[in-house]
Amino acid sequence: MGSGIAQCTALSGFEVVVRSRSQSTADALVAGIEKTLQKQVEKEKITGEVAGTALSRITATSDFSVLSDCDLVLESVVEDIHTKKHLFLELDRICADHTIIATNTSTLPVIEMAMETGRPDKVCGIHFFNPATVMKLVEVVRPITASEDTIESAKEFATACDKIPVEVRDQAGFVVNALLFPYLNNAVRMLEQGIASMEDIDTSMKEGCGFPMGPFTLLDLVGLDTSLAILDALYEEYRDPNYAAVPLLRRMVTAERLGRKSGRGFYNYHSEK
Ligand code: 3HC
């Protein structure tokens, strides 16, 4: 997600710092962006010059202090509230006073991150969708502490990245995940109950409802660990049984079948040898 966000931001003319815990991971992220941009050039979607300029706007680092120069910092780390709160504490210490610190969280309470900082008025959610380079929507999430200026700047940023912003209150799942994840969870339940095969469930939702991909393909794209974290956060907030993760999903995560990123989720992505 982070690299997708960095790519569309750089293509939109922003100077971007990709900060990761290690230099090698940061470099690998930028190498991935270079590869995707190259594909776009081959498909004649963009020129080599545009790709080169976008790439030259991206700095890869493991050094936290480089973020002190940024006007907007958007975190996209693991969906774990303790990790995020710790990060916000650090960011608040490093970032300039005017900097907006935003989270790409899918479901976690933005207010908890905001309250770790001395600038809760300058904290909001800026939530991109998978794949970030393609999906147009950005949810701008307003915790009760955010100022009007912060929300307006976040919307302007999303629009400048050629995205379509919508404003949402700081409630678990915002709009999309609150509606999407009961559907995905129920698809797993349907599979677990043996009502249909996953291929046939995927085909049904594609061909019967015109969805671009079926629920299992989408779960694999989002990542099963991320999906489980989202459902757990939704259940924590609403205590609605629709959000209680189906046992099969939890077991898939325990078995490290995380989707495309681990080479296996509901489908197998390892190339045949
Ligand atoms: N990563 C990056 N780019 C991708 C991609 C991926 N995994 N898959 C496809 N693309 C790009 C292709 O390169 C292509 O770009 P181009 O037009 O510039 O060449 C474009 O997407 C279209 O790809 P294809 O023609 O190969 O494939 P499709 O027409 O099947 O579209 C799709 C692929 C856009 C991913 C489409 O299947 C889709 O819209 N799927 C639904 C995705 C969705 O629902 N996302 C939301 C998930 S929920 C979420 O993100 C919330 C978070 O909090 C978890």
Side-chain angles (χ1 to χ4, degrees), residues 134-204:
V134 184
M135 305 311 282
K136 282 283 189 186
L137 186 71
V138 167
E139 289 175 326
V140 173
V141 183
R142 182 196 280 269
I144 52 176
T145 46
S147 72
E148 211 51 55
D149 278 358
T150 298
I151 299 301
E152 282 316 305
S153 300
K155 285 185 193 166
E156 276 168 29
F157 165 71
T159 307
C161 294
D162 197 25
K163 300 293 181 193
I164 299 169
V166 292
E167 189 182 319
V168 199
R169 218 167 61 188
D170 177 25
Q171 254 186 223
F174 317 128
V175 172
V176 173
N177 287 342
L179 293 174
L180 177 65
F181 275 83
Y183 153 69
L184 295 177
N185 200 32
N186 279 315
V188 182
R189 192 188 323 278
M190 194 175 258
L191 176 68
E192 201 179 51
Q193 291 172 343
I195 292 168
S197 69
M198 70 181 178
E199 291 84 357
D200 282 355
I201 297 172
D202 269 359
T203 302
S204 302

